[in-house]
Amino acid sequence: MGIYVNPGNLPFREAVSSQIYLDKSELIHYTNSVLKTHRKNICLSRPRRFGKSMAADMLAAYYSKGCDSRELFEGLKVSCENPDSTGGIWEGGTKQSEAYRANLNQHNVIRFDVQRFLFDESHVSIFIRKIQEVIIKELEAEFGEYFDHSYDQYGLPGTLEQIFANTGEGFVFIIDEWDCVFRLAKDDTEIQKKYLDFLRGLFKGSGYVELAYMTGILPIKKYGEHSAINIFDEYSVTDPKNMGEYFGFTEKEVREQCKRYHADFAEMRKWYDGYQIGSFHIYNPKSVVDALTWNKFKSYWTGTETYEALKVYIERNFDGLKEAVVEMLGGGQCKIDPTTFQNDMTTFHMKDDVLTLLVHLGYLTYDEQTDNVFIPNQEIAQEFMRAVKVGGWGSLMEALNRSEELLKSTWAMDADAVAKGVANARKDMASILQYNDENSMACALYAAYSATRAYYAKPIRELPTGRGFADVVYLPLKNADCPALLIELKWNKSAEGAIRQIKEKGYADWVKSYTGDILLVAVNYDKKRDIHECIIEKYRKE
């Protein structure tokens, strides 16, 4: 048993022995199904704290010849003929069970965490060499009789080729934090390319590779000819394929844990839900465990990430970026094209690139069906609030702080107070937004109504009604005792005309089956007089 070659199972044993452990072992069914096939190269990217390292520890404990993990996996889903699964993606039954037993602790494993070799900038120039040196040293101890130092000049790939030729034994590679160099040495493209060359030489066309499983935050970076490591199937937060439920906690799992620990599930959902990974709603696992352990709902994000990191990106000078942040802080969503992202932390050509990076970092979530991004939950909303508070966005904070008062005025149908509140929000946002059309007006409105997050679902922009569109619609959360809000915005027209349009085009017809009371809110900005007008009426059902 070595540190890097055929390691033991202690890290996974500690995970299973923890007070709160959720079984994700069915992932092994998939890795077994691609073992020694053309699909054997896997690169999985998720934000920090989403269980990547735990899964890597699990795979090492399962495959490694350096330990006996039979009792450790006994009773876990992967060892059961018919586990109580969440609806797994791989066929169950005898074939899976046979594969499970046949591969348990039967493989040579090379497992390393790149961050252990690159936790300081001074290591950038030597970390590739050091990785190879320590692994080759352990390989010599493991395969001494088949070891030939004449292959040293070819580095780790040459050594592995020689061992494979002499023994016929291949290797399972498990690499954690594979993208560490792209985060620590963000601007050093030369070392990044050398690292990609190392990975290409290690994996591409290598018969000794039985499985290569890499995890990180970023998808694989490609540099022209260096895209040769595209032999990997990638499973990212923007394209999770069939890996959605195996990283993060599902709603069913969180409900069960809340019941077990007598925790308020509604609060848990508000604070830590919201990540859409394919077809699954995923909760932040580390935060859920912390909340259950300490019996307290709050932001645990700052334990590993800080608002300073977020601030750096949202202050980028791209058209529409600040408007998108404002809209999302108000509960709104922003459409992006994630395909322009270059899979690094420095190459940004447009706001979509910045917002896609924030998805990979876990600050935003991405809906594959709509191509929309948004702030997933209360925990991350607090990090955004901290970022704008210290980032020179004080005027936005003013609008956010007054939001609760504006919402209460709306419920009270105090049209004058609402007009004044929207006008104040417009003034607050003047340094951030160019207030010159209905779109910027809607953006300011999102900030003004940010308090709706506690009472309403995410606002719906341009609700289809069959005969037109309403600008912004807020539908109450389940059990929230408040009316739905249907808001129509006008620019240089009239509030009366906005109310008339709502009624004539039947905008409320689409909403009335979803809630009880509905308030029709019409807001107009008269640019010539520089005033806001508002009319609020209660919708009367026929």
Side-chain angles (χ1 to χ4, degrees), residues 169-186:
E169 295 185 26
F171 294 83
V172 170
F173 293 83
I174 301 171
I175 303 176
D176 207 3
E177 301 282 0
W178 88 270
D179 61 330
C180 184
V181 64
F182 297 97
R183 292 182 274 119
L184 183 64
K186 298 177 184 178

Side-chain angles (χ1 to χ4, degrees), residues 431-446:
S431 63
I432 300 173
L433 302 176
Q434 295 296 318
Y435 201 70
N436 53 18
D437 57 20
E438 286 184 20
N439 189 61
S440 58
M441 188 177 177
C443 191
L445 191 81
Y446 277 119

Side-chain angles (χ1 to χ4, degrees), residues 23 33 112 123 164 170 216 230 238 268 295 307 310-311 339 347 400 442 456 466 472 475 480 497:
D23 184 357
S33 74
F112 62 94
H123 301 147
F164 180 62
N230 61 9
T238 57
M268 191 72 76
N295 194 29
Y307 60 81
L310 176 59
K311 182 170 76 73
T339 63
T347 309
L400 297 175
Y456 293 87
V472 185
L475 296 177

Side-chain angles (χ1 to χ4, degrees), residues 456-467:
Y456 293 87
K458 295 186 183 302
I460 304 170
R461 186 79 180 269
E462 296 188 334
L463 174 71
T465 65
R467 286 176 287 176

